[in-house]
């Protein structure tokens, strides 16, 4: 069984006690705040209690001063507006936010979402021409467009006004457009660049509502709409894996609540099929693993327009039918996912070296282009190697399509940019990216990509590591402490769910397999008289190694509250374990 190197973060006891006393929190929460480099009690209080009023004014977003008046004028002039979206959960929620806003304000708005398999990512010349022919008088992109230089020029040439809203990385040249809204525009000084596409769309909707209200504070009807849109923005933020800090933290914290109080019919339909409709409180993980996969399944299988229809429809029977259909698509996606993962692991075993290769570039003719990104992510996470999967065209008539995921902190976008001579197109960001490539260029691209990774990631950096925030005895993990710990939520990118460890813990019984296919483990532990249950998801293989009840173990885990039949108790989600030994201090 593969072992990880444990890195236990060191804490200054005096600083922990000072923050614990000042804030009135448990030692565990005080340590977790310090782990996040939050040392000032005032900033710590703001982190624990982020206020919706702390969202920056939408007009501060770069480019908003041109975009909001232009869009509002198009609404009042009854121009035909088309929102050009993207086919992932971020793009779908962004599209739904903006279309809903424009139509709520009396606009004439529709949407276009490209087909992942036929149209590819971003703006498309043919689609732009088609929309113009069908009467479009203003095109607004969400979650795309910032890198589509040629397509933007084409829109200008055929006389179709263009507003681009995006958050992705741009090149040395910006596209020609009537307005560009982007948190990181050159020359601007917006303090937070981590907004996702849906959050940028939410800010545009907010600014346009202000224009319609002729005031900073919008009327109650528009306020209710913006609260509904905030829930959609939260879904996009979590599912696009942007950092859950600064404004994103506020959007998700309050968006989770607004989904339950002001959620659109589509989100409520997805919650029902995902089994989330009876939850007292939603978490970011509920969005990441319950809502996101069902929306993304539609996009991955070429039916993203159904996801947008679900999120914008006011017809309850239609919403219920669409939610159930997306549920079935997700089951199909899961089946494809498993088969591709098996084939990819087989390819690594037979053709490459999981131990020595710095990265993986895998290709196959039977892999569905809409699913390879998920599998690339799983392989990257398991092997600690940047991974790119490429779907070859069955007839070799079209360029192959690839999707990659980073590992070990490598900037994947920069890696692809370095290898751009082998690629037809590429795009994305540091953690995830896509590409198109001719089949005969795959091997030289593989060599160049692996060489780049080897130069930028040392063999030491490619070792699997587990960073542990706090060492705490089981006796400290009370319900009250866990309630305090949840104030650190929402958890996700740049604010991960805390990882704790406990040492010298004993099994009280042999681990028991459970769940579908008996893929999970249930265990019970005792430490200094405190007993606690633990679950290890997908780690049934540990059972044969955990038979010794006499030898103490060290555990690394997420502490969680399990609610069942009205009872609440603290449990452990086991991440790793080892025979008790001194932990390795983080340097």
């Amino acid at each position: 069984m593969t072992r990880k190197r444990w890195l236990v973060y060191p804490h200054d006891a005096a600083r922990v006690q000072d923050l614990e006393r000042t804030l009135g929190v448990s030692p565990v929460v005080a340590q977790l705040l310090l782990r996040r480099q939050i040392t000032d009690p005032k900033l710590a209080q703001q982190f624990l209690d982020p206020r919706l009023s702390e969202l920056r004014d939408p007009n501060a977003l770069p480019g908003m001063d041109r975009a909001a008046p232009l869009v509002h004028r198009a609404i009042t002039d009854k121009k035909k507006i088309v929102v050009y979206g993207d086919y992932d959960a971020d793009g779908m929620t962004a599209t739904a936010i903006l279309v809903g806003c424009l139509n709520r304000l009396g606009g004439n708005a529709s949407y276009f979402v490209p087909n992942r398999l036929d149209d590819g990512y971003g703006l498309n010349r043919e689609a732009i021409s088609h929309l113009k022919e069908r009467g479009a008088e203003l095109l607004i992109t969400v979650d795309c467009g910032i890198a589509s230089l040629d397509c933007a020029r084409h829109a200008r040439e055929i006389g179709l006004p263009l507003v681009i809203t995006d958050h992705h990385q741009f090149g040395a040249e910006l596209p020609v457009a009537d307005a560009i809204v982007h948190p990181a525009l050159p020359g601007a000084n917006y303090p937070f660049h981590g907004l996702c596409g849906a959050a940028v769309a939410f800010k545009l909707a907010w600014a346009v509502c202000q224009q319609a209200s002729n005031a900073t504070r919008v009327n109650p009807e528009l306020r209710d709409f913006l609260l509904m849109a905030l829930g959609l923005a939260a879904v996009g933020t979590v599912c696009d894996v942007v950092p859950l800090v600064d404004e994103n933290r506020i959007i998700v914290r309050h968006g989770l609540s607004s989904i339950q109080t002001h959620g659109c019919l589509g989100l409520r339909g997805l919650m029902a099929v995902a089994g989330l409709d009876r939850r007292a409180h939603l978490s970011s993980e509920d969005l990441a693993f319950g809502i996101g996969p069902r929306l993304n399944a539609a996009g991955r299988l070429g039916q993203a327009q159904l996801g947008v229809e679900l999120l914008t429809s006011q017809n309850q029977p239609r919403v219920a039918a669409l939610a159930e259909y997306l549920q079935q698509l997700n089951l199909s996606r899961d089946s494809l996912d498993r088969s591709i993962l098996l084939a990819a692991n087989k390819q690594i075993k037979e053709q490459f070296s999981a131990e020595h290769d710095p990265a993986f570039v895998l290709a196959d003719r039977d892999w569905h282009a809409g699913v390879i990104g998920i599998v690339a992510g799983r392989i990257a996470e398991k092997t600690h190697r940047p991974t790119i999967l490429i779907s070859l065209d069955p007839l070799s008539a079209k360029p192959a399509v690839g999707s990659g995921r980073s590992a070990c902190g490598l900037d994947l976008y920069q890696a692809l940019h370095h290898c751009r001579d082998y690629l037809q197109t590429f795009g994305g960001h540091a953690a995830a990216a896509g590409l198109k490539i001719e089949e005969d260029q795959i091997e030289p691209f593989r060599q160049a990509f692996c060489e780049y990774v080897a130069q930028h990631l040392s063999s030491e950096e490619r070792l699997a590591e587990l960073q542990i925030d706090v060492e705490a005895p089981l006796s400290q993990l009370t319900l009250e402490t866990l309630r305090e710990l949840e104030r650190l939520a929402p958890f996700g990118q740049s604010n991960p769910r805390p990882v704790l460890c406990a040492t010298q813990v004993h099994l009280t019984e042999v681990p028991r397999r459970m769940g579908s296919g008996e893929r999970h483990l249930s265990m019970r532990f005792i430490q200094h008289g405190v007993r606690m249950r633990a679950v290890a998801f997908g780690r049934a293989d540990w059972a044969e190694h955990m038979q010794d009840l006499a030898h103490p173990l060290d555990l690394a885990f997420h502490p969680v509250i399990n609610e069942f039949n009205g009872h609440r108790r603290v449990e452990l989600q086991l991440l790793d374990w080892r025979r008790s030994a001194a932990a390795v201090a983080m340097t």
Side-chain angles (χ1 to χ4, degrees):
M1 105 181 229
T2 303
R3 290 297 182 188
K4 296 181 179 179
R5 183 168 55 141
W6 289 20
L7 303 176
V8 183
Y9 189 79
H11 287 280
D12 183 318
R15 294 174 71 191
V16 171
Q17 291 175 3
D18 183 55
L19 197 59
E20 177 188 349
R21 182 173 55 254
T22 304
L23 293 175
V25 297
S26 69
V28 170
V29 172
Q31 290 178 79
L32 290 170
L33 287 167
L34 293 172
R35 174 72 174 96
R36 285 156 172 74
Q37 308 302 315
I38 303 173
T39 58
D40 181 87
K42 182 178 179 180
L43 294 178
Q45 193 61 54
Q46 290 176 350
F47 186 85
L48 294 174
D49 186 25
R51 299 179 183 275
L52 191 56
S53 59
E54 293 170 353
L55 276 181
R56 296 180 183 89
D57 188 293
N59 295 289
L61 199 61
M64 193 66 80
D65 57 335
R66 290 174 58 87
L70 191 158
V71 173
H72 181 246
R73 190 161 55 249
I75 294 172
T76 57
D77 291 346
K78 300 298 182 182
K79 290 187 176 180
K80 186 172 182 179
I81 306 171
V82 178
V83 177
Y84 192 112
D86 189 27
Y87 42 66
D88 65 359
D90 186 22
M92 291 183 214
T93 51
T95 304
I97 289 170
L98 207 51
V99 170
C101 172
L102 301 179
N103 288 330
R104 182 68 61 96
L105 293 173
N108 176 18
S110 60
Y111 59 87
F112 173 82
V113 184
N115 184 299
R116 183 188 195 115
L117 307 178
D118 298 330
D119 301 317
Y121 170 76
L123 285 172
N124 180 286
R125 284 176 64 98
E126 290 74 21
I128 292 173
S129 296
H130 180 67
L131 293 172
K132 171 67 174 175
E133 291 167 2
R134 297 192 61 179
E137 297 174 281
L138 175 64
L139 190 64
I140 308 175
T141 76
V142 291
D143 196 33
C144 65
I146 198 66
S148 302
L149 304 183
D150 179 64
C151 292
R153 281 192 294 269
H154 179 63
R156 175 68 58 89
E157 290 167 359
I158 64 175
L160 180 58
L162 175 65
V163 172
I164 291 175
T165 76
D166 202 353
H167 71 114
H168 289 98
Q169 193 161 342
F170 46 79
E173 181 183 352
L174 290 175
V176 294
D178 295 83
I180 301 176
V181 182
H182 191 294
L185 278 183
N189 59 355
Y190 197 70
F192 183 58
H193 294 175
L195 296 174
C196 71
V200 174
F202 172 77
K203 291 264 188 171
L204 177 57
W206 184 4
V208 174
C209 286
Q210 288 179 334
Q211 291 270 326
S213 303
N214 199 28
T216 301
R217 294 177 65 88
V218 304
N219 64 50
E221 180 185 352
L222 292 180
R223 181 181 180 276
D224 285 343
F225 166 77
L226 289 174
L227 285 173
M228 182 278 291
L230 187 68
L232 291 170
V235 173
T237 299
V238 170
C239 295
D240 214 47
V241 201
V242 291
L244 291 190
V245 297
D246 203 277
E247 288 191 285
N248 289 341
R249 177 173 174 77
I250 300 170
I251 288 170
V252 177
R253 170 71 77 87
H254 291 276
L256 287 167
S257 299
S258 74
I259 288 172
Q260 295 187 298
T261 58
H262 292 76
C264 65
L265 286 179
L267 283 184
R268 292 183 181 276
L270 286 178
M271 288 168 59
V273 297
L276 302 174
D277 51 332
R278 289 184 290 274
R279 293 279 178 92
H281 304 284
L282 288 175
S283 70
S284 54
E285 290 97 335
D286 291 330
L287 303 187
F289 302 112
I291 303 299
R294 288 162 173 81
L295 288 173
N296 282 326
R300 292 183 182 282
L301 299 181
Q303 302 186 60
Q305 75 281 357
L306 295 182
V308 179
E309 183 184 350
L310 170 74
L311 297 176
T312 55
S313 175
Q314 299 301 312
N315 183 318
Q316 179 63 59
R318 177 62 174 166
V319 164
L322 285 170
E324 182 57 38
Y325 183 65
L326 263 60
Q327 170 78 344
Q328 296 306 313
L329 284 182
N330 190 48
L331 293 174
S332 298
R333 188 274 313 159
D334 186 58
S335 177
L336 286 170
D337 181 2
R338 291 172 184 268
S339 65
I340 294 174
L341 182 60
L342 285 172
N345 283 328
K346 185 172 184 284
Q347 193 173 126
I348 291 174
K349 182 178 180 180
E350 294 178 351
Q351 301 179 32
F352 305 100
S353 170
E355 182 178 354
H356 298 107
D357 285 343
F360 297 120
V361 177
L362 312 172
D364 195 280
R365 213 168 294 283
D366 294 328
W367 291 350
H368 194 289
V371 181
I372 52 177
I374 301 176
V375 179
R378 293 190 176 177
I379 294 174
E381 181 179 7
K382 180 181 178 181
T383 63
H384 233 227
R385 302 288 191 274
T387 301
I388 296 173
L389 263 63
I390 298 175
S391 171
L392 303 173
D393 183 66
L395 301 178
S396 299
K398 298 179 181 178
V401 176
S403 186
R405 297 294 184 269
S406 183
C408 311
L410 180 88
D411 188 322
L412 187 59
Y413 181 88
Q414 289 301 324
L416 294 184
H417 184 267
H418 177 80
C419 304
R420 62 190 179 279
D421 290 345
Y422 304 101
L423 306 174
Q424 276 203 343
T425 60
F426 70 95
H429 46 80
L435 58 88
K436 285 187 177 181
I437 185 171
E438 292 292 347
E439 196 168 327
D440 61 0
Q441 293 297 300
I442 292 176
E443 187 54 38
F445 166 70
R446 177 187 287 115
Q447 294 177 14
F449 181 74
C450 289
E451 287 174 7
Y452 180 91
V453 174
Q455 291 169 3
H456 288 78
L457 289 179
S458 66
S459 57
E460 182 74 12
E461 289 173 313
R462 295 198 298 269
L463 288 176
E465 295 177 347
L466 181 62
Q467 297 196 3
I468 296 172
D469 301 303
V470 174
E471 180 179 348
L474 299 186
S475 59
Q476 286 189 1
L477 304 181
T478 63
L479 281 171
E480 180 58 34
T481 296
L482 266 289
R483 279 191 287 267
E484 285 184 9
L485 188 148
E486 287 299 322
R487 294 178 66 192
L488 299 169
F491 299 120
Q493 184 74 14
S494 299
N495 185 41
R497 183 170 283 278
V499 178
L500 276 61
C501 75
T503 60
Q504 299 289 320
V505 181
H506 284 84
L507 276 164
T508 63
E509 59 186 36
V510 173
R512 178 174 56 84
R513 289 180 172 84
M514 66 172 199
S516 175
E518 296 191 332
R519 295 185 296 117
H520 316 305
L521 282 187
S522 174
M523 295 153 283
R524 296 187 182 277
F525 294 99
I526 187 170
Q527 182 196 49
H528 308 309
V530 176
R531 296 174 181 269
M532 203 163 286
R533 180 176 180 262
V535 174
F537 292 107
R539 297 318 306 254
D541 57 304
W542 283 352
E544 61 183 288
H545 304 284
M546 301 178 75
Q547 301 291 319
D548 185 357
L549 304 186
H551 199 288
L553 305 175
D554 298 341
L555 310 179
F557 54 87
H558 295 311
V560 297
I561 296 177
N562 185 354
E563 299 186 32
F564 184 72
N565 284 341
H567 297 288
R568 294 162 57 85
R569 63 182 181 186
V570 178
E571 288 189 351
L572 314 179
Q573 289 184 0
L574 198 59
L575 304 174
D576 199 18
W577 65 277
R578 65 186 185 186
R579 290 179 174 269
S580 289
V584 181
M586 181 183 292
T587 57

